[in-house]
Amino acid sequence: MNLKVLLIIYSYVTALLVYLSYVFWDIPVASFFYPRMYDDLWVVFDYITEAGEGGYWIYSTGLMYLGYRFLPLEKMPFGQRLIKYRDADMRAAGFVALTASVSGILVNLLKILFARFRPELFFTQGEYGFSWFAQTHILASFPSGHSATAMSVAAALTLLFPRYWWFFILSGIVIIFSRVILVEHYISDVLAGGYLGVMTSVFLYHRYYKNN
């Protein structure tokens, strides 16, 4: 089965799961975790979820790219090794920075479009669904930005280092579902965000990275 077919299947399955989650699962799952906020499990996932912050990935890999491109590597410790792998490491760092940046821009535009109520508003005011065209934190639940970052980076690293795909994908899944456990997002939010991240990485990889 080729990649195009897999992505088509992934798209249909994700669309179905997002719909089913919105109709049947979002509120029950959020209601399960809401009373458990701030317990031991919550604290653990509060640390895990930080790995989905786009800024960490963009700044770290972006600086790595700029360092490889402009620093005098020959004068640095292990300079010969850095020079030997300069092109490959620089392109990989640039690719990860690009995927995290693009997925972040796309998800923020979609947040404004959908303006979905966060779970907090359901439990405090009974609000559920979409407000449409608004730009406030409390109306920015769909899609999940942390999930888009987590899965865009996981997919990018999988494409770069396919041998360790299981570790990258599993890490991404843990991060996106930390958003549900923390009651920051519904299941449908993280599924949509994760899908956006994966598709962004795959598109940029085949459109730009492989073509140098």
Side-chain angles (χ1 to χ4, degrees):
M1 188 178 298
N2 62 39
L3 179 61
K4 183 177 180 179
V5 174
L6 285 175
L7 292 177
I8 292 173
I9 294 173
Y10 177 43
S11 299
Y12 280 114
V13 170
T14 300
L16 177 61
L17 290 176
V18 167
Y19 172 77
L20 292 174
S21 297
Y22 181 80
V23 175
F24 299 108
W25 305 329
D26 281 356
I27 292 176
V29 172
S31 299
F32 174 81
F33 286 112
Y34 188 74
R36 295 164 174 80
M37 291 177 66
Y38 308 107
D39 65 7
D40 292 340
L41 181 67
W42 190 96
V43 172
V44 171
F45 280 95
D46 191 40
Y47 284 105
I48 292 174
T49 202
E50 288 298 311
E53 283 285 350
Y56 297 149
W57 294 99
I58 295 169
Y59 297 141
S60 61
T61 54
L63 288 173
M64 185 183 301
Y65 173 85
L66 293 174
Y68 272 110
R69 190 170 184 86
F70 297 111
L71 289 179
L73 300 182
E74 66 280 357
K75 299 180 181 180
M76 300 177 65
F78 309 104
Q80 292 305 311
R81 189 274 175 197
L82 295 176
I83 293 172
K84 180 179 179 181
Y85 298 103
R86 179 203 296 258
D87 290 344
D89 290 349
M90 182 175 68
R91 291 180 63 234
F95 172 57
V96 175
L98 182 63
T99 56
S101 300
V102 173
S103 65
I105 293 170
L106 292 175
V107 81
N108 283 317
L109 291 174
L110 291 174
K111 282 176 178 289
I112 296 172
L113 170 63
F114 290 105
R116 186 182 187 185
F117 299 111
R118 287 187 182 270
E120 177 186 342
L121 280 178
F122 174 77
F123 294 107
T124 58
Q125 301 179 28
E127 297 282 3
Y128 181 74
F130 301 91
S131 176
W132 306 103
F133 297 103
Q135 189 177 9
T136 62
H137 174 76
I138 203 66
L139 297 177
S141 193
F142 183 91
S144 165
H146 281 69
S147 301
T149 297
M151 292 309 296
S152 69
V153 172
L157 294 175
T158 295
L159 291 166
L160 293 172
F161 311 104
R163 180 178 179 182
Y164 305 103
W165 69 269
W166 58 272
F167 174 76
F168 301 134
I169 298 301
L170 179 61
S171 298
I173 291 173
V174 171
I175 293 169
I176 70 173
F177 279 101
S178 73
R179 307 303 289 163
V180 176
I181 294 170
L182 297 176
V183 201
E184 290 288 339
H185 287 283
Y186 294 109
I187 292 181
S188 55
D189 300 333
V190 302
L191 290 173
Y195 171 80
L196 179 66
V198 170
M199 297 301 284
T200 300
S201 291
V202 172
F203 172 78
L204 292 175
Y205 180 80
H206 287 278
R207 180 65 178 82
Y208 295 105
Y209 183 84
K210 287 187 68 175
N211 294 326
N212 201 25

